[in-house]
Amino acid sequence: MLSQGFVSAAAIAASVLFILSLGGLSNQEKAKRAVWYGIAGMAVAVLFTALGPGIGAHWLMLPLIAIGAAIGWVVAKRVAMTEMPQLVAALHSFVGLAAVFVAWNADLERRRVLAARALDATHQEFSAFAALVATKAPDELTFLQLEVIFAIFIGAVTFTGSVIAFGKLAGKVDGKARQLPGGHLLNAGAAVVCLVLAIAYLNGAGFWTLLALAALAFFIGYHLIMGIGGADMPVVVSMLNSYSGWAAAAIGFTLSNDLLIVTGALVGSSGAILSYIMCKAMNRNFVSVILGGFGGSQGPAAEIEGEQVAIDAGGVASALNDADSVIIVPGYGMAVAQAQNAVSELTRKLRSAGKEVRFGIHPVAGRLPGHMNVLLAEAKVPYDIVLEMDEINDDFATTDVVIVIGSNDIVNPAAQEDPNSPIAGMPVLKVWEAKQVFVCKRGQGTGYSGIENPLFFKENTRMFYGDAKASIESLLPQID
């Protein structure tokens, strides 16, 4: 058994590793090393926490850790890059549910200590946590109760919200914004009742108040995320990431665990900052995101005129051979089709022919920031030709050919032209300004938001139907 001082030193070391991990993820070239920092930090955290003072039942703990690690390994190996957003949402749900269970247990232990004090049972054996509670003064116990309330509320909202986010991202739940009659008033009413229950709990009400509080928070999480449309789910995942961090921090205060406090604060603050950045990128109000008050349509959508005109591989290849400048806009469809290597080879051939080739990346392409950048980096696409939306958006008007591969909502002109569109105001890549646009798409279906894209009907747009990987590979032999 290690001393508390040694465990505290290990917690500081783990915290430094976590900070290095977050810092390294800002650069593609350093990202792999940053992930290893995170892995090492978590290994240190788990090992030294398990060996810390007052921790027992290792015969039960070690098999559970091994089972959990094995499950995590298997799941991670099976999950494709395209499924990473829903995996992240699922992992957030685990953090939220764990916070609820730990908070419930903390209150039960608090009640046990108070009962023992009432009976003057000074020789009663306590768990490590109960022994900690037994040293607290009355005012400190009040703070403990506040921590329990916060952990249960945030944890429960995170759990059900993350489950619904997972369902929407995985296509198991309808991506459209749906709410029960009463809409946000139901959420507000449930929140008010939660406040009443919290006050009752602080004034000595029974454990049932915490059960009811959790039930209402479960509902709020479910109803908040159900009321958010599919096009805004990337921001939701980031927001839930922040929630899970604050839930973990609350549990850290409850357990007097410095590492949980630091780690939870890191996750909570970084998730909140990322949510804010994504809200700016999508022209969404940050407060509205937190309250689940966005994502639905705002009126009847504008009528779309024209028809979708198809083109074959020969036509696309001919246009590419004649072009001097090409911009490729990848999206979720490219990831699903695993077409990044074919795209990389097409890029190499076009550049070898003396053409300027660049990539335009939307901040939330692929449903999570950096998704497309990672795929393209794995396929050996040079970093210097992969540009963010703000860096390349003004160049579409002087570009000969744009190839859109599996993108829909992030190139939808309705965001700028239709104030009633569910994505109205969202910054998009202005691909329609190019001389020619070729959209590589599997079929005529709508995008993730469930709305039609006027781009597909414009005169300078041609639809290159088929599997993205097969379609791009069919172009390669025809590029001079």
Side-chain angles (χ1 to χ4, degrees):
M1 200 70 64
L2 300 175
S3 67
Q4 184 57 49
F6 201 84
V7 173
S8 297
I12 294 174
S15 299
V16 170
L17 287 169
F18 290 146
I19 292 171
L20 290 173
S21 179
L22 283 174
L25 291 175
S26 63
N27 185 295
Q28 294 182 41
E29 297 182 15
K30 299 178 181 178
K32 284 189 176 180
R33 184 171 60 192
V35 170
W36 280 109
Y37 284 144
I39 293 172
M42 186 55 67
V44 170
V46 172
L47 176 63
F48 286 91
T49 299
L51 297 178
I55 305 299
H58 292 93
W59 60 272
L60 179 61
M61 184 190 306
L62 292 177
L64 291 176
I65 292 175
I67 292 171
I71 293 174
W73 177 274
V74 171
V75 170
K77 292 288 285 185
R78 289 183 177 180
V79 171
M81 179 61 72
T82 54
E83 299 171 327
M84 198 57 63
Q86 46 263 49
L87 175 63
V88 172
L91 294 177
H92 292 164
S93 72
F94 296 156
V95 176
L97 191 60
V100 173
F101 285 151
V102 172
W104 277 342
N105 183 71
D107 186 69
L108 291 174
E109 293 287 69
R110 180 188 68 86
R111 293 175 186 277
R112 183 184 175 200
V113 169
L114 293 177
R117 284 180 178 176
L119 297 173
D120 196 26
T122 55
H123 299 292
Q124 182 172 344
E125 292 187 1
F126 289 141
S127 67
F129 177 72
L132 174 66
V133 173
T135 65
K136 292 182 180 291
D139 58 337
E140 292 177 313
L141 288 178
T142 300
F143 277 106
L144 173 63
Q145 288 179 282
L146 291 172
E147 293 157 7
V148 165
I149 291 169
F150 185 80
I152 290 176
F153 183 80
I154 297 297
V157 169
T158 301
F159 173 67
T160 48
S162 298
V163 169
I164 298 302
F166 166 82
K168 289 195 173 189
L169 289 167
K172 300 180 184 298
V173 177
D174 192 344
K176 294 181 180 179
R178 298 185 183 279
Q179 290 185 321
L180 297 174
H184 295 300
L185 289 177
L186 283 177
N187 299 333
V192 170
V193 176
C194 284
L195 179 61
V196 172
L197 289 169
I199 294 173
Y201 166 69
L202 291 172
N203 284 277
F207 185 73
W208 66 270
T209 53
L210 297 183
L211 295 175
L213 176 67
L216 286 170
F218 282 142
F219 168 77
I220 292 173
Y222 157 80
H223 202 233
L224 275 176
I225 308 306
M226 281 297 295
I228 297 175
D232 297 314
M233 289 312 295
V235 185
V236 172
V237 173
S238 177
M239 177 186 69
L240 291 169
N241 176 46
S242 179
Y243 286 0
S244 69
W246 299 126
I251 291 303
F253 281 108
T254 301
L255 301 177
S256 295
N257 186 308
D258 296 337
L259 186 57
L260 265 179
I261 296 171
V262 172
T263 304
L266 282 172
V267 174
S269 57
S270 60
I273 293 170
L274 179 58
S275 297
Y276 178 73
I277 293 172
M278 292 175 69
C279 283
K280 288 189 66 177
M282 298 177 70
N283 197 29
R284 301 300 189 189
N285 183 277
F286 184 63
V287 175
S288 294
V289 174
I290 297 174
L291 299 178
F294 65 101
S297 61
Q298 303 164 21
E303 293 291 332
I304 299 177
E305 298 180 355
E307 61 178 350
Q308 296 184 20
V309 180
I311 193 171
D312 59 14
V316 177
S318 177
L320 288 173
N321 287 325
D322 293 338
D324 292 321
S325 58
V326 178
I327 295 178
I328 300 174
V329 177
Y332 190 69
M334 186 193 79
V336 171
Q338 291 292 289
Q340 61 268 25
N341 289 313
V343 171
S344 179
E345 178 61 18
L346 175 65
T347 302
R348 187 192 66 77
K349 295 196 71 171
L350 290 172
R351 296 183 79 193
S352 297
K355 304 177 189 303
E356 181 188 33
V357 182
R358 293 175 295 167
F359 286 77
I361 307 295
H362 193 276
V364 293
R367 303 183 189 174
L368 276 182
H371 198 173
M372 290 298 102
N373 303 69
V374 171
L375 287 177
L376 295 174
E378 288 179 344
K380 309 301 183 185
V381 173
Y383 295 141
D384 60 333
I385 65 171
V386 180
L387 305 178
E388 299 296 326
M389 178 179 66
D390 292 340
E391 298 176 300
I392 203 169
N393 233 4
D394 292 336
D395 296 344
F396 285 107
T398 57
T399 299
D400 295 325
V401 172
V402 170
I403 303 179
V404 178
I405 308 175
S407 294
N408 195 318
D409 300 320
I410 63 172
V411 294
N412 192 333
Q416 295 187 357
E417 299 171 356
D418 182 8
N420 291 326
S421 172
I423 61 172
M426 186 179 87
V428 292
L429 290 156
K430 297 183 286 188
V431 299
W432 58 88
E433 294 183 353
K435 294 178 183 178
Q436 297 181 84
V437 181
F438 300 108
V439 179
C440 186
K441 199 167 182 288
R442 187 178 293 273
Q444 295 188 355
T446 58
Y448 189 63
S449 64
I451 60 176
E452 191 57 86
N453 191 339
L455 169 70
F456 305 156
F457 300 84
K458 289 187 176 292
E459 292 184 1
N460 63 335
T461 299
R462 294 294 181 266
M463 306 302 294
F464 188 24
Y465 291 121
D467 175 79
K469 182 179 180 181
S471 296
I472 299 300
E473 287 178 342
S474 70
L475 297 175
L476 298 178
Q478 305 181 57
I479 301 299
D480 299 333

